[in-house]
Amino acid sequence: MTTGKGYLFAELDVVDAAHFYNEYMPRVHPVLKKYGATFLAGSDAPVVKEGGRSVKRVVLLEFESSQRAEEFYHSEDYQGVIGYRFDSARSHLYIFEGLGVEPG
């Protein structure tokens, strides 16, 4: 059974910290708020246990649904901001639906 929640998971390698934190972050926060995103987790030092990847920063956001996460990503609001991230970080971004456990 699905919970109806949607998640956005990002792996980031910030290559221009000043641009990322001074240009992208102040612009993305109001858009995230508008779409109801909740920050669940983030780390600047994730420990990769398998896969041989080098991941420098991870972020996990929760939305009311995966559809809402998609709406956020494809919105004019976010598309107007996304270039700041592209200019300052290399990233992998995933949107997926959460799984729940039925009570009982």
Side-chain angles (χ1 to χ4, degrees), residues 54-73:
S54 175
V55 178
K56 299 193 173 160
R57 184 170 203 258
V58 294
V59 175
L60 179 62
L61 304 174
E62 181 180 74
F63 292 83
E64 66 186 42
S65 66
S66 58
Q67 179 180 349
R68 190 66 170 160
E70 291 282 355
E71 289 170 1
F72 155 77
Y73 185 83

Side-chain angles (χ1 to χ4, degrees), residues 34-52:
K34 178 178 179 178
Y35 285 84
T38 301
F39 278 89
L40 293 183
S43 175
D44 287 332
V47 178
V48 177
K49 293 294 189 182
E50 296 182 11

